[in-house]
Amino acid sequence: MQYVPPSALRGHDLEPLLAKHGLTSAWLATHDFDSHSTANVARVTYGETVAKVPFHYRSARTTLPQLHAWIVGLVAEAKRRQAERGAPIASITHGPSLLLLGATGVGKTYEAYGAMRELSVTGVYCQWAVTTAADLYAALRPRHGIDSEAEFRTYRDARLLLVDDLGADRKPTEFTEEINFRLINHRYEHYLPTLITTNVGPKELASRLGDRVASRLAEMCERIAIKGNDRRRAA
Ligand SMILES: Nc1ncnc2c1ncn2[C@@H]1O[C@H](COP(=O)(O)OP(=O)(O)O)[C@@H](O)[C@H]1O
Ligand SMILES: [Mg+2]
């Protein structure tokens, strides 16, 4: 792991994220040249996270207690495994998944990126990937010269995966159903933490995603329903 000097984080408003985990910016700025220190792990993870969070959600912060509790659980499990194995740093490897349900514009993507930002400053390393379901299908369509299986594996095997807008496609095809199944089944079998957002109602999950996917999601995910109006139209 590279050493990131504290000056790299200048100008980022991280106090509120840190405070949720009893941490301070003084801790994050610990300048001890130790690449395995929890503060450096947080600086590295936060730096990688900034690169993945879209501009629109760059200041997102979760408002949902269940999302915060999920993060606390993942962090505790990573630290427990680190102690058990005597590993130099704690990393997210396994854990439960979450399903954020709600209509268009209620804040699902905002909450999801807020959660990734919050997780990134806790001092636990998190290698995470993000894709919308639509982008995933597009990336995996068989094309000349592209190894779509290798592409698929980067999402399938990510330590933590954010799948935004699962089931948003009006007409599922055999191809999209197969991708959904292979992705969710793998993450289910290996207990890989996955944060999924969907605007599909709880009762339509089986018809829109297929029984096999809906059944696995029911077991592997805690469900959080976000209520409210379309915030994009409220302004
Ligand atoms: N808690 C929040 N505080 C401030 N803005 C929010 C919050 N939640 C959502 N938004 C804003 O509302 C809009 C819709 O949120 P978004 O997460 O994109 O909705 P969707 O549920 O469709 O994914 C976005 O512009 C987002 O930045
Ligand atoms: Mg969204």
Side-chain angles (χ1 to χ4, degrees), residues 56-57 63 103-110 231-232:
H56 187 88
Y57 301 101
T63 62
T104 300
V106 292
K108 300 179 299 295
T109 304
Y110 180 96
R231 286 170 173 269
R232 295 196 193 91

Side-chain angles (χ1 to χ4, degrees), residues 37-57:
S37 74
T38 52
N40 189 60
V41 170
R43 294 194 294 265
V44 168
T45 310
Y46 179 75
E48 293 179 5
T49 295
V50 166
K52 284 177 265 192
V53 175
F55 186 82
H56 187 88
Y57 301 101

